[in-house]
Amino acid sequence: MTDSQGMPNYPGDQPNQPGGQPNYPGGQPGGYQPGPPPSNYLVWAILTTILCCLPFGIASIVQATRVNGLWAQGQTAAAQQAADAAKKWAIIAAIVGVVLNVLWIILLISGAFAINTTVPSRY
């Protein structure tokens, strides 16, 4: 079925709703959503990838890059979920990175003490 302009009719689609606005499937035309999109945390994702933990940072980047595309498609809930996932993975990457760096420093310090105690002194 098509309307007078040759456009397909969707189930429950009425050319003019009681408010005088057309019924667009999936939201507003062109994916327009009122208000700004959620923060995508892309900067945090990139920083945690470079400075902290590569695998979790990459997961954060993947989720962060999905946010604006989903928002443009009108999928606000999915965009918010992707933003939340990007934030979660960035936090995990930062925590894992800090823990691994602290463990590495402890290992270096303990190794330095072990070398000093096992090497006999010539004096």
Side-chain angles (χ1 to χ4, degrees), residues 40-95:
N40 59 12
Y41 301 101
L42 186 59
V43 173
W44 290 109
I46 292 171
L47 288 176
T48 55
T49 301
I50 294 171
L51 300 175
C52 298
C53 184
L54 185 68
F56 296 129
I58 290 173
S60 181
I61 288 175
V62 168
Q63 293 297 323
T65 56
R66 294 180 58 219
V67 173
N68 291 340
L70 289 169
W71 184 263
Q73 293 174 2
Q75 299 178 9
T76 56
Q80 185 61 50
Q81 287 175 347
D84 293 341
K87 182 179 179 181
K88 174 186 76 170
W89 286 113
I91 290 171
I92 290 171
I95 291 170

Side-chain angles (χ1 to χ4, degrees), residues 21-41:
Q21 297 294 322
N23 184 14
Y24 296 103
Q28 296 293 324
Y32 173 76
Q33 299 297 322
S39 176
N40 59 12
Y41 301 101

Side-chain angles (χ1 to χ4, degrees), residues 119-123:
V119 175
S121 175
R122 295 187 180 190
Y123 300 109

